[in-house]
Amino acid sequence: MKIVLASLVRAGLALFALSAGACSDAQGVTRAQLLPSWPLNLTREESFRSVEPPLGARRPWSPPSVERWMLANGLAVYFVPRPSSGSVRVSLVARHAGTQDVRDAPGVALLAASLLSRGTTAHPAGAHFLALRSLGAVMGVDVSGVSMEVSVAATAAQLAPATALLGEAVTSPQWSPEIFARELDVQRDVRRIYASRVATLGVSLAAQARDGAHSTARPHTGTLAQIGALDEARVREFYGRHFNALNCAVLVVGGATRADVEAAISAAFARLPASGAALEAPSEPVSISRGEPRWRVYDNEDAPNATITIAWPTDVEGAPGYAASRVLEEGLGSMFSSRLNRVLRERFGVTYGVQSARYIAEERSFVAARITVDVDLVAVALETALQQLGAVYTSGFTEGEVEAGKARLRDEFVARFETDDGVVDALRALVERGRTPEAWAADLAAIDAVDVAAVRNAATRQLYPLHIGGSIVGALDRFGARLRSEYPALRWSVATVSP
Amino acid sequence: MAVKRAGVLAVCAAAWLSSQSARGQSLLDAARAMNDAARTQPPAAQVVAGVQRYSLANGLDVVLEERHGSPRVAVEVDYRVGSRDQPEGYGGLAHMTEHMMFAWARHHRDGGGAYLDSLGVSQAVGETHGDVTRYGAVVASHFLERLLAFEADRMGFLLSHVGEAQLEAQRLIVLREDSERGEYWSVPGMGKRIWQTLFPRGHPYFGAYEDPSDIATLSLNSVRWFHQQWYVPSNATLVIVGDFESSAVRAMVQRYFGGLAREPRPTRVSQANLPRIPTIGDQQVIETTRVANDRLWVLFPTPRMFSEGDAELDLAALALVGDEFAPLCARLLRDRVVDAVTASQNSMELASLFTISALVRRNSSAEAVLAQIDRTLRESAEQLTEEAVAVARDRQIAALRSYHSTLAGRAFYLGLYARTFAGSPDLLERDVARYRAASLGSVRRAIAQWLTRRSRVVAIARGTHNSAALWRQARMRPENLW
């Protein structure tokens, strides 16, 4: 019996070696079979590991203190010293610049901001850029849905000359038909590139599906046609209306002293006109007449994958439900364990990861969750994603999900105060909303106060089908028809938009 | 017949497992004995400029730096293993193993990613590179002990807890990642062709690629084998930077990592035994892809990380494309032949790659852009100015200091320095000095020596769509969006 068994084992080993020793792929590359040793883990299990370690004591933290003063022309200055930083960032923020223009002349804000970096009367054209470069300084412009920012980052030692060059750019920009024409060309390119990027196109289509003709559905950058219709006088008028001392604020963060900052800012911005007025946030009624989510499907043969974008409303900083909204966003689309990632990534493996981002405007701010999938899997992914949103709308989050979202939000909140840029962003958000730095502590406390019920309320407000818009961008030839015929359970109207 | 064969295999598999168990038991006993001894031996630390470095008895390299001010801690675990360590035919095994490290957590039924979420981690990374696989996370300080326990768990116990279901889920995710991440890795087959053209057979980087067909057939056993070979304490560096007290954290490290089995550090091919990277001439790799724009990459083999010429090529990249007045940007954007252009020195431990990439405009071609790149490089080797190099140097040093100013960036660099520079990990100033020492002459020489047609790969992903039709379509988008 023993002999028989030994023979069997030997025969088996030979067969095993044949089957498991090596294999070849289609190209004929020999691939050695990799077999682990046994046992798999050499480390002995110890009983203490089966108990989750205790939480340490939460360490006290408070937001940085902000020094505030006002120049004679009424320009507000916010300064956060960060002695450990060897650099400094100075930003001038103009309120409401992003949205006001949308109503009148979309794209004018971005055009005006870009023109500010194209030379000054003292340093025409490239001379301004080269002067900054010689200081090791970098100038940046940014236009959001809410404000416009023109900034300079430099080493702390170059605070005064770099701020002077920023002040020049803001108070005495060089205007000329040639510069204007060249900038228009650049801006046309920018929009053409935006249009070729599925991410930006998908978000715009989703916003358009959600808000129709409302200004928030129109990109504040303007379209090719809209910026083509702008003239220099219109841009100058916009600049004059927004870049006055009462509508602007200066933010300074970094390794500088109060005295140095006061001197640099006074010298650079005293010439900013005191005339004009602080602008009011615009308001435009939105009319929602359909009771179901709305979609745009865009057949884009240039996309190797399909991208589904789902947009739903969110609250902005300072709003009563803000913290709960953010926890909802984290739990839906951001974290590994968020509802969309858990199912679409971890369970089905149809996407590398759901990416969600917030698009903040004066009104109708929204979150857009972007899901990139193989074109053939669009319908499955879309249906699953909408089921997940629906489940949250009807049944809310668990306590574990809420606590994870809160912990992450707290971490993000604190993290942004660790860099010059993060602090500037936090200050800019205050200025945009007319809030004071004291609000930071209240915001942090609001995160701690979020509970399951608050998130449920946020879900009820924000995931109601009426508010949801979405887009599908990809090589989706005949997809609309397929979706309607093969997935009748989807109630949403899917329109194929043909070029 | 099929049933009979399966039965025989079952018998032999049991026998094989039994023999392996016997081998494993003796290893296990030895490992446990050493672990017990290790628990009673607190290691001494080397302290330089506030950075502590010491090793546990099992070989784990530990680097600690207290930074108070923000109540957060960055934890970085770097394993000295990367895609260069994949056996032939296993393109993607290193990446798959990295993904499996997120598939299990002892204290969360939904796995490691979900557990990190529960700790409020807002910056979690797992990255597979050619030389190293890194896991980084930043948490609030009061979650630190949980994070350390999690890292120790997945270093020491992962393999007993993951199975086929997790492998299949991660396989799909890795394949999706390759499809979505852009660059030449998204063009099927292109990454493999590039790397196998640049490096000779026998060089570790020859196999440092990902291949979807390899990934599709990876087994759980191969992942287990890879983890067993490389994910051992003696092959890892644990870096902790942030708001903590060293004495308490050293005790935590000892508690969670000190008991992990001591195993020998796996050997890798040494620099001295590397096959020489030959001069390959001006090679082309061309693939077609279903997009409209051509994509172009020009890859030059260059000196390895921290060796002579590496810092100069970092500065060359900045001097060439650092801003709109930089020569490569100025020429390609002025002539409106690209929508975007980048250049970077991708520094690696055995050899580096200087890469110029361009998104070619639809009214141009990859060949036209390549001609402009060649012309710019030729001219730059002679005409680059002192001021351009000075600006590049300032920006490089400022960026380096900026990374070091964040917890995650500092932890990353302390891990990198511990792995690659001898001695203390706190070598920021030594790194900065490399850039300060670079001169106009040395940057010009580096460009002339390395960025030439004598040895490079030009990779073109040819857009196969009708560019003219797509351009018309772009202008006719719904409501003329954008």
Side-chain angles (χ1 to χ4, degrees):
Chain A
M1 183 61 190
K2 280 182 181 172
I3 293 170
V4 172
L5 187 59
S7 300
L8 267 177
V9 169
R10 272 198 300 275
L13 280 173
L15 189 55
F16 185 77
L18 279 176
S19 64
C23 59
S24 298
D25 66 11
Q27 287 80 44
V29 173
T30 301
R31 187 160 106 163
Q33 188 80 348
L34 306 176
L35 294 172
S37 305
W38 200 264
L40 292 171
N41 301 120
L42 287 181
T43 303
R44 175 176 53 189
E45 275 289 1
E46 294 162 290
S47 58
F48 75 86
R49 295 188 193 273
S50 62
V51 180
E52 189 174 23
L55 279 183
R58 205 156 126 189
R59 296 181 178 229
W61 178 83
S62 52
S65 58
V66 181
E67 298 180 33
R68 282 173 285 177
W69 66 93
M70 197 171 278
L71 303 190
N73 59 3
L75 180 67
V77 183
Y78 296 71
F79 171 47
V80 175
R82 299 186 71 242
S84 62
S85 172
S87 59
V88 67
R89 180 167 150 189
V90 182
S91 289
L92 184 112
V93 174
R95 297 181 184 92
H96 312 306
T99 310
Q100 287 235 333
D101 66 297
V102 169
R103 208 128 317 165
D104 310 329
V108 69
L110 191 55
L111 193 54
S114 302
L115 280 166
L116 296 184
S117 63
R118 299 298 178 200
T120 68
T121 49
H123 292 88
H128 187 257
F129 177 89
L130 294 173
L132 279 165
R133 196 167 85 158
S134 70
L135 299 174
V138 178
M139 186 167 158
V141 295
D142 179 68
V143 177
S144 73
V146 184
S147 67
M148 178 193 294
E149 180 185 357
V150 189
S151 65
V152 68
T155 61
Q158 302 293 356
L159 168 68
T163 305
L165 286 167
L166 175 68
E168 252 185 47
V170 171
T171 57
S172 52
Q174 183 191 22
W175 303 101
S176 77
E178 295 75 27
I179 289 176
F180 184 79
R182 199 168 64 220
E183 190 59 33
L184 265 183
D185 270 352
V186 171
Q187 294 299 324
R188 284 193 187 100
D189 268 359
V190 168
R191 282 151 188 79
R192 191 176 49 73
I193 293 168
Y194 280 160
S196 69
R197 287 190 180 150
V198 171
T200 45
L201 177 62
V203 168
S204 288
L205 286 167
Q208 195 186 73
R210 196 175 73 98
D211 283 354
H214 192 269
S215 62
T216 53
R218 300 192 291 270
H220 63 263
T221 53
T223 64
L224 281 170
Q226 286 162 339
I227 63 163
L230 292 173
D231 59 24
E232 194 182 330
R234 180 71 187 81
V235 177
R236 282 191 192 226
E237 186 278 327
F238 175 86
Y239 161 80
R241 187 150 46 96
H242 287 82
F243 282 85
N244 67 75
L246 297 178
N247 194 53
C248 291
V250 174
L251 320 174
V252 186
V253 178
T257 64
R258 163 82 181 249
D260 289 343
V261 171
E262 276 195 52
I265 298 300
S266 297
F269 295 107
R271 289 174 51 208
L272 197 65
S275 58
L279 301 171
E280 295 297 320
S283 180
E284 181 180 346
V286 62
S287 165
I288 298 170
S289 57
R290 296 160 61 188
E292 51 194 26
R294 283 146 292 169
W295 290 85
R296 293 285 187 276
V297 175
Y298 184 62
D299 281 346
N300 179 5
E301 293 185 355
D302 200 20
N305 290 300
T307 298
I308 301 168
T309 305
I310 306 176
W312 64 86
T314 187
D315 293 315
V316 296
E317 282 181 281
Y322 171 71
S325 299
R326 293 300 315 277
V327 172
L328 178 69
E329 289 158 33
E330 297 289 339
L332 278 176
S334 289
M335 300 188 287
F336 281 108
S337 57
S338 66
R339 293 284 178 98
L340 294 176
N341 270 324
R342 198 188 308 165
V343 176
L344 292 170
R345 177 188 147 101
E346 300 292 333
R347 192 180 304 163
F348 294 163
V350 297
T351 186
Y352 173 52
V354 177
Q355 298 174 39
S356 73
R358 312 179 76 232
Y359 295 84
I360 302 303
E362 304 275 11
E363 307 167 273
R364 307 277 294 164
S365 300
F366 62 95
V367 178
R370 201 169 80 237
I371 308 160
T372 303
V373 296
D374 188 275
V375 169
D376 291 339
L377 296 173
V378 164
V380 172
L382 173 61
E383 192 167 3
T384 306
L386 291 171
Q387 280 169 356
Q388 291 301 311
L389 296 187
V392 173
Y393 172 61
T394 53
S395 60
F397 276 178
T398 65
E399 193 168 340
E401 289 175 306
V402 170
E403 289 307 314
K406 287 167 63 178
R408 187 162 148 135
L409 272 187
R410 260 189 239 111
D411 192 61
E412 285 178 355
F413 190 94
V414 175
R416 68 177 172 171
F417 291 98
E418 290 175 2
T419 63
D420 292 354
D421 289 350
V423 179
V424 168
D425 290 346
L427 285 169
R428 181 176 170 184
L430 290 180
V431 169
E432 285 173 345
R433 299 276 157 207
R435 305 172 81 211
T436 63
E438 288 71 33
W440 285 335
D443 288 347
L444 196 55
I447 294 172
D448 289 335
V450 172
D451 57 16
V452 170
V455 178
R456 179 79 181 265
N457 283 342
T460 305
R461 281 186 290 117
Q462 293 172 357
L463 297 180
Y464 190 64
L466 200 68
H467 298 309
I468 295 179
S471 72
I472 306 167
V473 178
L476 300 167
D477 321 47
R478 299 175 298 283
F479 176 76
R482 262 188 57 195
L483 194 70
R484 279 193 294 272
S485 64
E486 295 179 26
Y487 299 92
L490 290 175
R491 296 182 298 107
W492 299 286
S493 163
V494 178
T496 301
V497 182
S498 300
Chain B
M1 183 62 192
V3 172
K4 202 183 264 182
R5 179 176 165 175
V8 173
L9 276 175
V11 172
C12 80
W16 177 78
L17 287 179
S18 167
S19 69
Q20 292 296 302
S21 292
R23 183 204 71 90
Q25 191 58 46
S26 60
L27 281 175
L28 200 58
D29 290 343
R32 285 173 179 171
M34 278 187 281
N35 293 344
D36 290 341
R39 284 202 182 286
T40 59
Q41 295 169 1
Q46 175 197 21
V47 183
V48 176
V51 179
Q52 304 177 46
R53 186 176 187 187
Y54 63 96
S55 295
L56 300 190
N58 58 18
L60 180 71
D61 183 25
V62 183
V63 178
L64 306 179
E65 184 180 45
E66 289 187 36
R67 278 196 175 190
H68 303 285
S70 183
R72 302 171 76 234
V73 186
V75 174
E76 167 108 8
V77 185
D78 292 349
Y79 294 90
R80 292 173 195 83
V81 61
S83 49
R84 80 187 221 198
D85 301 301
Q86 299 166 153
E88 186 163 1
Y90 283 88
L93 178 57
H95 190 191
M96 272 295 291
T97 307
E98 176 237 297
H99 271 248
M100 290 296 278
M101 288 282 278
F102 289 89
W104 170 72
R106 193 188 295 272
H107 300 295
H108 202 298
R109 67 186 173 91
D110 289 330
Y115 189 64
L116 290 170
D117 285 342
S118 77
L119 305 185
V121 172
S122 61
Q123 295 168 265
V125 297
E127 290 179 355
T128 306
H129 299 269
D131 302 310
V132 66
T133 306
R134 53 180 297 259
Y135 301 86
V138 185
V139 285
S141 297
H142 61 285
F143 285 119
L144 175 60
E145 187 168 356
R146 289 188 177 179
L147 180 57
L148 292 177
F150 169 70
E151 291 293 359
D153 268 348
R154 61 180 176 174
M155 187 185 291
F157 302 95
L158 177 85
L159 297 183
S160 305
H161 298 275
V162 292
E164 296 289 349
Q166 288 103 326
L167 181 81
E168 291 313 316
Q170 295 306 318
R171 190 198 309 279
L172 291 172
I173 295 169
V174 169
L175 289 169
R176 282 305 310 168
E177 182 178 352
D178 286 348
S179 166
E180 292 176 30
R181 70 176 168 171
E183 295 303 316
Y184 52 76
W185 296 108
S186 294
V187 182
M190 183 169 250
K192 180 177 179 177
R193 284 186 64 195
I194 290 173
W195 283 62
Q196 295 200 337
T197 305
L198 285 162
F199 300 103
R201 184 176 287 276
H203 192 286
Y205 292 159
F206 181 82
Y209 59 81
E210 284 193 42
D211 188 287
S213 59
D214 287 358
I215 293 170
T217 54
L218 289 177
S219 68
L220 184 59
N221 269 344
S222 57
V223 171
R224 284 172 166 164
W225 176 87
F226 197 74
H227 190 284
Q228 275 189 339
Q229 298 292 310
W230 298 99
Y231 281 71
V232 294
S234 59
N235 200 40
T237 299
L238 167 68
V239 183
I240 308 173
V241 178
D243 189 23
F244 58 82
E245 283 71 46
S246 294
S247 56
V249 166
R250 288 185 62 164
M252 286 180 203
V253 170
Q254 189 65 26
R255 177 177 173 82
Y256 295 105
F257 291 91
L260 302 186
R262 176 180 184 142
E263 294 179 73
R265 183 172 176 174
T267 54
R268 300 170 105 177
V269 62
S270 71
Q271 190 72 34
N273 294 328
L274 283 178
R276 197 180 66 81
I277 298 172
T279 301
I280 56 173
D282 197 2
Q283 300 289 327
Q284 287 212 341
V285 171
I286 300 176
E287 300 279 353
T288 55
T289 179
R290 57 171 309 283
V291 295
N293 291 55
D294 285 358
R295 293 293 309 262
L296 170 70
W297 298 271
V298 191
L299 302 103
F300 304 89
T302 51
R304 66 194 175 96
M305 185 185 288
F306 300 134
S307 67
E308 187 181 344
D310 178 47
E312 279 78 3
L313 289 164
D314 272 334
L315 301 186
L318 277 173
L320 287 168
V321 302
D323 57 54
E324 61 188 286
F325 285 78
L328 203 49
C329 274
R331 171 163 286 146
L332 296 178
L333 294 174
R334 182 198 62 210
D335 293 351
R336 310 185 80 172
V337 293
V338 301
D339 280 339
V341 59
T342 66
S344 63
Q345 161 78 343
N346 177 17
S347 303
M348 299 182 290
E349 292 176 18
L350 304 179
S352 302
L353 287 179
F354 189 98
T355 306
I356 298 172
S357 77
L359 178 60
V360 180
R361 277 178 72 135
R362 290 177 185 177
N363 58 358
S364 187
S365 70
E367 284 75 9
V369 173
L370 180 62
Q372 298 283 44
I373 290 172
D374 281 339
R375 189 175 151 203
T376 309
L377 291 177
R378 266 198 317 273
E379 292 172 0
S380 295
E382 298 165 3
Q383 297 172 8
L384 202 63
T385 64
E386 189 79 63
E387 193 212 0
V389 171
V391 168
R393 186 188 299 119
D394 287 347
R395 285 187 182 166
Q396 180 70 26
I397 292 171
L400 197 55
R401 292 200 187 283
S402 173
Y403 279 126
H404 279 264
S405 74
T406 65
L407 293 174
R410 178 68 174 167
F412 166 81
Y413 271 100
L414 289 183
L416 173 69
Y417 294 157
R419 228 175 34 246
T420 51
F421 275 152
S424 162
D426 183 24
L427 288 161
L428 168 61
E429 295 312 319
R430 179 169 158 183
D431 206 354
V432 166
R434 297 189 309 134
Y435 297 105
R436 291 209 191 286
S439 64
L440 172 64
S442 67
V443 173
R444 280 184 178 177
R445 277 195 300 278
I447 293 174
Q449 181 177 356
W450 299 104
L451 308 187
T452 75
R453 298 168 68 168
R454 285 193 300 274
S455 195
R456 71 175 184 185
V457 169
V458 174
I460 297 171
R462 186 86 69 199
T464 53
H465 281 196
N466 182 329
S467 299
L470 279 164
W471 174 232
R472 281 198 300 278
Q473 178 181 319
R475 289 194 295 175
M476 295 168 64
R477 288 187 182 284
E479 287 81 45
N480 198 10
L481 201 64
W482 296 109

